[in-house]
Amino acid sequence: MKRYLILFAILCSSYGFGQQLVYTPVNPAFGGNTFNYQWLLSSAQAQNSFTDPNSSDEDQTELERFQENLNNQLLSSLSRNVFSSQLGDELKEGSFNVGDLALEIFETGEGLVINILDTATGEQTQIIVPN
């Protein structure tokens, strides 16, 4: 009988010290501590073995970057000259065709609206220059 009483006392005492378990997330995106963000990000970047196949900035030399910059400036200058010869110095209302681009320029209450349609691909965009 004493054994059962001692066993019962041990079981009751361990039940008295039990507590409720509460889950606290680690990731701040799911309600965790915001100070964990840097640690999680650096840990993920350290484990990332993938590389971007399109990132060519790291592999380019100074000469290649200079050549690319020069090409961009020349293309920009040529496109400015083409647009100025087609449209003049200022944008006038109307419809214009420049290569595969169809431009529609008109004035609204919001400002000058320029609709650009690429007739080759069907892509279009709209630029609004406010008054």
Side-chain angles (χ1 to χ4, degrees), residues 59-71:
D59 301 326
Q60 287 183 335
T61 64
E62 288 291 325
L63 184 61
E64 290 171 337
R65 280 194 291 268
F66 176 74
Q67 180 182 3
E68 185 177 340
N69 189 10
L70 186 61
N71 286 339

Side-chain angles (χ1 to χ4, degrees), residues 11 47 58 60 66 94 128:
L11 289 175
Q47 296 174 25
E58 299 169 0
Q60 287 183 335
F66 176 74
I128 299 174

Side-chain angles (χ1 to χ4, degrees), residues 3 9 14 21 30 36 39-40 48-49 53 74 82 87 100 105 110 115 117 124-125:
R3 287 187 195 168
S14 65
L21 296 176
F30 300 110
N36 291 337
W39 176 78
L40 288 170
N48 186 6
S49 62
L74 286 172
V82 167
L87 303 174
D100 287 340
I105 303 170
E110 296 177 350
N115 289 328
L117 171 67
Q124 61 182 3
T125 187

Side-chain angles (χ1 to χ4, degrees), residues 40-56:
L40 288 170
L41 182 64
S42 65
S43 176
Q45 287 174 341
Q47 296 174 25
N48 186 6
S49 62
F50 295 105
T51 57
D52 184 11
N54 297 330
S55 68
S56 60

Side-chain angles (χ1 to χ4, degrees), residues 11-122:
L11 289 175
C12 288
S13 65
S14 65
Y15 180 73
F17 290 110
Q19 63 183 357
Q20 183 180 3
L21 296 176
V22 177
Y23 171 73
T24 305
V26 175
N27 192 336
F30 300 110
N33 191 347
T34 57
F35 294 118
N36 291 337
Y37 179 77
Q38 278 301 103
W39 176 78
L40 288 170
L41 182 64
S42 65
S43 176
Q45 287 174 341
Q47 296 174 25
N48 186 6
S49 62
F50 295 105
T51 57
D52 184 11
N54 297 330
S55 68
S56 60
D57 292 340
E58 299 169 0
D59 301 326
Q60 287 183 335
T61 64
E62 288 291 325
L63 184 61
E64 290 171 337
R65 280 194 291 268
F66 176 74
Q67 180 182 3
E68 185 177 340
N69 189 10
L70 186 61
N71 286 339
N72 289 338
Q73 288 180 2
L74 286 172
L75 290 173
S76 175
S77 175
L78 286 172
S79 65
R80 262 194 315 268
N81 289 339
V82 167
F83 275 107
S84 67
S85 69
Q86 289 283 329
L87 303 174
D89 289 334
E90 61 184 50
L91 295 176
K92 300 174 230 159
E93 290 187 11
S95 297
F96 305 95
N97 290 326
V98 180
D100 287 340
L101 297 178
L103 302 173
E104 182 183 5
I105 303 170
F106 56 94
E107 187 76 32
T108 64
E110 296 177 350
L112 187 67
V113 177
I114 305 169
N115 289 328
I116 304 170
L117 171 67
D118 187 352
T119 56
T121 62

